[in-house]
Amino acid sequence: MTNIITEYPQFFTATNLEWKKLLKPDKYKDIIIENLRFLVKEKRIILYAFVIMENHLHLIWQMQAGIKPDDVQRDFLKYTAQKIKKDLAANHPAVLSRFKVKTKDRQYLFWERNALSIELSTEKVFQQKLNYFHNNPVMAGLCTLPEEYRYSSASLYELNKTEWEFLTHDKD
């Protein structure tokens, strides 16, 4: 029997601890891109859209058949945190200290504990979320038009072209 995708696409938001601008350097945005590429290649998710801002990110992704959303979210956040922590420890220890926490289960925390995940069960809500987060870089003054911002899927939706080969347009 063929595995059938039963999950709706999800709007997922993760925020850096206390809205700190951890993702300002492109090398940390690239870690997120690398992880998204991996999740698509390994057929864990379909990625429809994303934007990576200086202190948070938004995704619209859909779990592949048999994949649990909670597992993907946990693995995604854990992997990116570990890679960023390794770079900070080697190159920016003063910045790393800003993410030190006093909890039983960890020494550092990079992502707020309660990431937001909402099922997108209608086309209207999907488009609303897509438009909302593609406009984040414009609202933050990082660009004039959404498609000008590199760390976003806006160019796929506005210009029908993108450098991110792992994206799937929602109309495909």
Side-chain angles (χ1 to χ4, degrees):
M1 184 166 171
T2 306
N3 284 337
I4 299 171
I5 296 174
T6 57
E7 303 282 338
Y8 284 110
Q10 295 179 344
F11 171 71
F12 176 76
T13 298
T15 305
N16 292 131
L17 181 66
E18 299 168 351
W19 289 85
K20 293 176 183 169
K21 294 184 177 185
L22 176 64
L23 304 175
K24 188 171 184 174
D26 287 351
K27 66 181 175 178
Y28 298 144
K29 293 181 195 84
D30 291 336
I31 288 171
I32 291 167
I33 293 293
E34 169 191 328
N35 196 352
L36 292 171
R37 183 178 281 116
F38 171 82
L39 291 171
V40 171
K41 182 180 177 212
E42 293 300 310
K43 300 193 182 325
R44 294 183 70 192
I45 66 166
I46 299 167
L47 184 65
Y48 295 108
F50 73 93
V51 66
I52 306 169
M53 300 297 291
E54 294 178 341
N55 55 13
H56 69 286
L57 60 87
H58 299 294
L59 309 171
I60 295 179
W61 59 9
Q62 186 171 21
M63 302 304 124
Q64 293 277 19
I67 303 295
K68 296 178 183 170
D70 289 346
D71 292 347
V72 172
Q73 291 172 20
R74 178 199 63 228
D75 294 349
F76 173 76
L77 296 174
K78 183 177 179 180
Y79 176 83
T80 56
Q82 288 174 342
K83 293 283 279 191
I84 292 170
K85 178 185 168 190
K86 183 178 179 181
D87 182 81
L88 288 171
N91 301 306
H92 313 285
V95 175
L96 178 60
S97 69
R98 294 176 50 213
F99 292 90
K100 196 167 186 72
V101 292
K102 295 176 182 175
T103 63
K104 289 182 181 181
D105 64 337
R106 67 195 69 216
Q107 191 174 6
Y108 298 96
L109 186 63
F110 299 97
W111 299 106
E112 290 287 347
R113 289 228 185 230
N114 296 317
L116 175 67
S117 188
I118 301 169
E119 280 192 343
L120 304 177
S121 57
T122 69
E123 178 68 20
K124 180 181 178 183
V125 176
F126 185 105
Q127 291 302 319
Q128 177 189 40
K129 296 299 183 192
L130 185 72
N131 293 336
Y132 161 73
F133 75 68
H134 278 165
N135 279 302
N136 267 207
V138 175
M139 300 303 287
L142 300 173
C143 57
T144 304
L145 299 170
E147 60 270 23
E148 295 171 345
Y149 186 66
R150 179 170 184 233
Y151 289 97
S152 167
S153 54
S155 64
L156 176 64
Y157 288 87
E158 297 298 322
L159 306 173
N160 203 30
K161 65 180 185 176
T162 184
E163 70 180 275
W164 314 116
E165 80 291 342
F166 52 88
L167 281 172
T168 300
H169 195 291
D170 74 308
K171 303 299 184 225
D172 290 346

